[in-house]
Amino acid sequence: MAGLMKFTLLFCLSIVRMSALNIFPEKFKLAERSKSVTLTCRTDKDNIKWRLDDSIQPISETEFEKLNGRDLTVINLQEDLTGNYTCWSDTGLEDYTYLLLDKSKEVTAFNINCTAETFSCSQKIKCAWTSDEFTAFRLRNTRDDGDWVSQSVDGDFFLPHSTNSYSEESERLLITGEAVSTCCYMKTDYSFYLRDVVKPADPGISICSIENEGSDEQIIELEVKPPSTWPQPHSFFPLKHEIEYEIRHNGELKTEEREEGSKIKVKGSITKLRVRCRDLLLLSQWSEWSKWKNVN
Ligand SMILES: *[C@@H]1O[C@H](CO)[C@@H](O)[C@H](O)[C@H]1NC(C)=O
Ligand SMILES: *[C@@H]1O[C@H](CO)[C@@H](O)[C@H](O)[C@H]1NC(C)=O
């Protein structure tokens, strides 16, 4: 019976230990692999004991852990010495620090990808960042001294910025990322010009008129509605369009680029068309295509 209880207890403890960090610990301390690091218990009590995670046994002095008053020094930090260090007096919990192994120099592949729907600061920059090794992530716009931003429910980060869309962008954005797992931490920077990541949302289209309907002389006049997130006045932030259409008699798809503004004319007998857009002057990325519009 006692054996079973002991087994159950150990089993539960190991589950707690392995459960991933899904948020950033409020208080954490970092050190690189093989380095030493000293944790200090912020208290005015003497005679304190340290514990690691849910272990009931207080930490005793070993080759890797040295105790000195309110300080605990961890020597030769490796994954197994990371975790939530708590310090206790005889009246209870006094302080805690989560010790993480800083892997910023060890980890190499981390892709933060950002896009923005406009140059305007009325829209946030959308970034994606994932890694198999880490379980919680946060980003901040360091250039504009922004706050840390966590992932939204669908996994993207939305970062505010103060880029002035009326003037030439002179300073790159600097996005700083931090990630943690149960044992480890990493930090990385990603720097870019907003103009290189702008990708407008997809435009809308409506057909205004069709002349000579059904003949080869057919002329369709359509109106392209700029994405709702595109800044106004639209005459000041012009878009360039690409139109794709299907030719009725052979089903062939053709594309054409147009710069004439939001009213576009298409000649010939076609069955369906769609449009995408990009910034005319700064040559942003293309938006996604609008939905196909059927022409009867
Ligand atoms: C660490 O321990 C303290 C004290 O029990 C607790 O308040 C805190 O949430 C713990 N942190 C993590 C990340 O488990
Ligand atoms: C980010 O972009 C890089 C290269 O452009 C790509 O390899 C990577 O898969 C992208 N990552 C995400 C999270 O979209």
Side-chain angles (χ1 to χ4, degrees):
M1 189 62 192
L4 181 65
M5 269 173 66
K6 194 169 174 194
F7 173 77
T8 312
L9 187 64
L10 282 176
F11 183 69
C12 291
L13 287 180
S14 63
I15 286 190
V16 169
R17 181 67 182 109
M18 284 183 324
S19 71
L21 268 189
N22 293 318
I23 51 166
F24 276 76
E26 317 87 287
K27 292 193 253 177
F28 60 90
K29 185 134 188 167
L30 305 171
E32 285 173 14
R33 187 180 296 285
S34 309
K35 295 275 159 61
S36 298
V37 54
T38 297
L39 308 177
T40 300
C41 181
R42 278 161 298 185
T43 176
D44 48 16
K45 304 267 169 53
D46 296 315
N47 235 332
I48 55 131
K49 290 190 166 64
W50 288 90
R51 289 182 192 153
L52 176 55
D53 292 324
D54 296 285
S55 165
I56 295 155
Q57 281 297 318
I59 293 169
S60 51
E61 187 142 311
T62 64
E63 190 185 341
F64 301 108
E65 289 173 305
K66 301 284 177 221
L67 300 164
N68 180 14
R70 293 172 193 144
D71 289 350
L72 166 69
T73 300
V74 177
I75 294 158
N76 186 12
L77 183 65
Q78 304 292 339
E79 278 87 346
D80 60 347
L81 289 172
T82 60
N84 199 6
Y85 282 85
T86 49
C87 59
W88 305 75
S89 67
D90 41 16
T91 53
L93 178 69
E94 295 293 328
D95 195 10
Y96 62 92
T97 307
Y98 204 107
L99 178 60
L100 290 163
L101 177 62
D102 184 354
K103 282 189 162 179
S104 304
K105 290 186 188 152
E106 297 177 32
V107 184
T108 48
F110 24 81
N111 306 313
I112 301 177
N113 288 1
C114 299
T115 59
E117 289 187 356
T118 80
F119 293 92
S120 159
C121 58
S122 62
Q123 289 287 315
K124 293 179 177 170
I125 300 169
K126 177 177 166 180
C127 300
W129 186 24
T130 54
S131 138
D132 296 338
E133 221 185 306
F134 294 92
T135 47
F137 303 85
R138 63 187 187 186
L139 298 179
R140 71 184 280 256
N141 176 352
T142 305
R143 185 196 71 181
D144 298 340
D145 201 23
D147 292 329
W148 288 110
V149 172
S150 316
Q151 268 160 306
S152 67
V153 279
D154 49 11
D156 292 317
F157 299 83
F158 293 93
L159 299 170
H161 68 99
S162 63
T163 309
N164 180 353
S165 52
Y166 292 91
S167 67
E168 178 79 19
E169 185 185 9
S170 55
E171 201 191 338
R172 284 163 170 268
L173 280 150
L174 177 65
I175 305 296
T176 303
E178 281 189 333
V180 290
S181 64
T182 309
C183 65
C184 300
Y185 166 95
M186 69 152 293
K187 180 175 182 166
T188 184
D189 281 331
Y190 175 41
S191 173
F192 55 90
Y193 286 109
L194 187 61
R195 58 176 176 263
D196 293 330
V197 304
V198 167
K199 180 181 178 184
D202 44 329
I205 35 178
S206 52
I207 293 178
C208 301
S209 65
I210 306 182
E211 281 175 45
N212 309 323
E213 195 165 346
S215 78
D216 286 347
E217 303 296 302
Q218 177 177 278
I219 299 172
I220 299 173
E221 192 178 30
L222 46 118
E223 167 128 33
V224 184
K225 226 175 133 236
S228 59
T229 48
W230 198 248
Q232 306 215 10
H234 293 144
S235 55
F236 206 89
F237 299 99
L239 288 162
K240 174 180 186 160
H241 295 103
E242 184 168 43
I243 170 160
E244 184 171 47
Y245 52 87
E246 187 184 61
I247 297 167
R248 185 178 300 275
H249 68 88
N250 60 8
E252 202 183 306
L253 289 176
K254 282 205 153 179
T255 56
E256 284 175 34
E257 284 187 23
R258 299 294 188 83
E259 296 187 0
E260 67 248 49
S262 61
K263 287 252 166 68
I264 297 179
K265 283 186 176 169
V266 188
K267 295 205 180 82
S269 181
I270 64 172
T271 46
K272 60 178 181 180
L273 51 85
R274 60 180 185 171
V275 176
R276 60 181 184 169
C277 61
R278 74 193 294 189
D279 189 283
L280 174 66
L281 307 171
L282 295 166
L283 295 187
S284 67
Q285 299 174 35
W286 284 109
S287 72
E288 297 296 320
W289 289 101
S290 68
K291 289 205 181 68
W292 284 107
K293 188 100 188 158
N294 290 318
V295 180
N296 296 311

